[in-house]
Amino acid sequence: MRESMEFDVLIVGGGPAGLAAAIRLKQLAQDKGTDVSVCLIEKGAEIGAHILSGAVMDPRALSELIPDWQEQGAPIKTAVTEDRVIFLSETGGRQIPNALLPDSFHNDGNYIVRLGNVAKWLGEQAEALGVEVYPGFAGAEVLFDEAGAVKGVATGDMGLTREGEPGPNYQPGMELHAKYTLFAEGCRGHLGKQLEAKYKLREGVDPQTYGIGIKELWEVPAERHVPGLVVHTAGWPMDSATYGGGFVYHLEDNLVSIGFVVGLNYTNPHLSPFEEMQRYKTHPEIRKYIEGGKRLAYGARAIAAGGLQSQPKLVFPGGALIGDDAGFLNAARIKGSHAAIKSGMLAAEAAFDALGAERSRDELAAFPEAFRTSWLHAELHKTRNFKPYMKKGLWMGSLLFGIDQNLFGGKVPWTLHNSADHTALKPAAECEKIAYPKPDGVLTFDRLSSVFLSNTNHEEEQPCHLQLKDAGVPISVNLAQHDAPEQRYCPAGVYEIVQEEAGPRLQINAQNCVHCKTCDIKDPTQNINWVVPQGGEGPIYQGM
Amino acid sequence: MKILVPVKRVLDYNVKVRVKADGTGVDLSNLKMAMNPFDEIAVEEAVRLKEAGVATEVVAVSCGVAACQETLRAAMAIGADRGILVETDVELQPLAVAKLLKALCDKEAPQVVICGKQAIDDDANQTGQMLAALMGWPQATFASKVTLAGESTTVTREIDGGLETIELKLPAVVTTDLRLNEPRYATLPNIMKAKKKPLDTVKPDELGVDVAPRLATLKVAEPPKRSAGVRVADVAQLVDKLKNEAKVI
Ligand SMILES: Cc1cc2nc3c(=O)[nH]c(=O)nc-3n(C[C@H](O)[C@H](O)[C@H](O)COP(=O)(O)OP(=O)(O)OC[C@H]3O[C@@H](n4cnc5c(N)ncnc54)[C@H](O)[C@@H]3O)c2cc1C
Ligand SMILES: Cc1cc2nc3c(=O)[nH]c(=O)nc-3n(C[C@H](O)[C@H](O)[C@H](O)COP(=O)(O)OP(=O)(O)OC[C@H]3O[C@@H](n4cnc5c(N)ncnc54)[C@H](O)[C@@H]3O)c2cc1C
Ligand code: SF4
């Protein structure tokens, strides 16, 4: 028997969206002199352990939530001092004059942060306000009431054997019930995906489109460090038909955040985002910042980049999707943290009003209404065509997006559409193989030594959290047609084809998983289903 | 019977550390901390003894900064009844901790103290032994099995040659080895309950203990990088290399 507990509001996921919602609820209750019980669960071992971002943060939403964040000691210290956008060729680079850049590429007033640290700080603010914050617990199952409304979630069982039977240390999960449940799982939420299907939240909208971002944190020699410098690149090592780009953000304390994002609508199954990131660092325009430095950390995470036209319906009976779980991200600016915070606040306000009116487990229609009249909607509407333009290739896409933004200020009378990423892969035989250079152990590394720096761990004795709907498909389809692309797109080396006497077999090294969700997105027949492993496992990012 | 369990807050064993560029120590700022794994085993053992009706109360103690409260809450989520934080910002060395624990033993009069055999940060492997000496109690280190009966405890120890079983008169100090037990998962209901269990805070000077460090750290350095290995063609070549290159045989 699972124990259960009741709350006014339950929040699943302790990223910027979930934490902002929790804080806003408690603030409103304080202002009105009422009490709201708020519980937040997070699958990472601590708040921030699963957060991986760039990140250049637009402080607009945070300033609305906690106006005196500076005095409160928020770890947001390095103001952007310079923006550089560079088109890379294989050996050189051409900087785009800032005057030609659309507004969305300007970062005046923004800050370079370690988003995991910001989340950790938000977690402390939430706890101080009385939110019950429980890291180490994953929402494993959505619970429904008799009327079909969401009534909460159950945390996962601990101590199951590989076969799913209770082992010697078995502990059943717990049911958390609430009047409203907010899902803030970030990009490609595993429960969010189920809710979208159950309540048909994607009806009439485009499929979501994604990128995979691979990121490293470097400590560099002082003379190479330019605090506040933001570098974005397009072009090499991507060919002009593949959407992708890199970033180098100079933080405080000689730290540099460097990353590469590949659009998951790439077509060549031989492409390996991990190795693109590795060779990216060898470009003269990039290596000049990190040479002589030391890599401190590594990780990867998918990004929901579809924009407004890919956003699902936000509410359903008993709850709402917020943050990247609902695709609130401005792909042209690769910024989602401010949108996550704002969406969390708007949902919290709607939930608070509903609780005040003694409502429960109905649709929070006030949330999408408030969103439509918010600055966030205006911002996302303006850049909605960015990702679809980019499907036309880098040069054409940039030109069209530039015209859209600079001549029309984003108010063009058309909206372009997205298609699902998993449908994009071509047969391997039709595509050119890519010869990636061997890692040098100095600037470039192999997968395993990289994963080591994510601090990821999973108990081996538990059911595999990467489920195959059909165990034959990895060989009969993925290997036969696409040369098993999961071997390359997984940034953690989880998927391996091993040759055995009986023939090739897919081996899943689930312990290495960094919870990026790429396999759940890109698997060509959607045969891989990512579910939560035991709570408290996965990467332990330290300020990524 | 009361059992006292000292629990240390250390860097989470999954998290990689980095030596500070100036060699003064390792960089722990903002890193994830957790309970020393051997101490988790100690708490688990004490709680099992309580569940078996042998012990009546399990008291967890942590010495260090205010954040050690989290470590105490974690011990209470496993099943400790209450916590005592000896709060100080001073860097604590094993002797200082042993003296603090002695002061608490004088006050609390436990029959058994179960420590971890070592903490995974400094790997000193000293605190339990020092405490036993200061108290004049018998000690059983590296325990892989503990039975308590009446006035004595029987402990199986992991030693170089195998296993050794000894009997000690109570009160005594026991330190845990890895194979003593496998700690349970703290459940959400138990974590919720742990938040409400009593937690007292005392300062070292209230216990009359001088915790000033006796040892100074001169330098911390990373172990030298291992150079890449070579593949040898046959045993003859291996022997030759061991003799002439490595000069180890
Ligand atoms: C490489 C990269 C670069 C980026 N650069 C920037 C940038 O420069 N600026 C910017 O503003 N944004 C950037 N973003 C986007 C930004 O990181 C996200 O928009 C933001 O983190 C979204 O916040 P969120 O709270 O919605 O989700 P997340 O930050 O993803 O947080 C979700 C949390 O929920 C937890 N969770 C998920 N499922 C469960 C479950 N079932 N049970 C319990 N817990 C669960 C997760 O562990 C996680 O902690 C970048 C993203 C990436 C990947
Ligand atoms: C909190 C904690 C407490 C621990 N306590 C104890 C304890 O009390 N007692 C104990 O015994 N251990 C303990 N361990 C485990 C211990 O620290 C090491 O993990 C263990 O000794 C590693 O030994 P290994 O050879 O199995 O693994 P590895 O660390 O993987 O191997 C060590 C070396 O062996 C070589 N090697 C490994 N596999 C092969 C191979 N197939 N062929 C050739 N060479 C190989 C490698 O060169 C490597 O450098 C503890 C670990 C932790 C995290
Ligand atoms: S297994 Fe899937 S979710 Fe895990 S790291 Fe690999 S691609 Fe990402």
Side-chain angles (χ1 to χ4, degrees), chain A residues 17-94:
Chain A
L19 290 162
I23 290 172
R24 191 77 194 112
L25 279 160
K26 283 291 186 182
Q27 287 174 336
L28 289 166
Q30 249 176 16
D31 291 352
K32 299 267 151 58
T34 57
D35 192 31
V36 193
S37 60
V38 184
C39 175
L40 181 149
I41 56 170
E42 162 58 47
K43 67 178 159 68
E46 65 175 357
I47 297 291
H50 286 184
I51 304 292
L52 181 137
S53 190
V56 177
M57 185 172 178
D58 176 346
R60 181 169 186 177
L62 181 64
S63 297
E64 290 180 5
L65 180 68
I66 304 178
D68 61 344
W69 51 265
Q70 222 139 11
E71 291 86 81
Q72 297 297 325
I76 303 177
K77 300 206 178 77
T78 306
V80 175
T81 52
E82 188 187 345
D83 267 306
R84 287 185 205 158
V85 177
I86 306 176
F87 275 82
L88 298 181
S89 65
E90 186 163 353
T91 50
R94 176 162 298 168

Side-chain angles (χ1 to χ4, degrees), chain A residues 466 490-492 494-495 513-519 530:
Chain A
L466 301 149
C490 171
V494 167
Y495 299 99
C513 176
V514 296
H515 297 202
C516 74
K517 311 278 179 84
T518 302
C519 51
W530 190 100

Side-chain angles (χ1 to χ4, degrees), chain B residues 13 37-38 117 120 177-179 226:
Chain B
Y13 72 93
F38 293 108
K117 72 165 178 181
I120 60 165
D177 214 323
L178 209 57
R179 275 156 283 261
R226 277 197 329 190

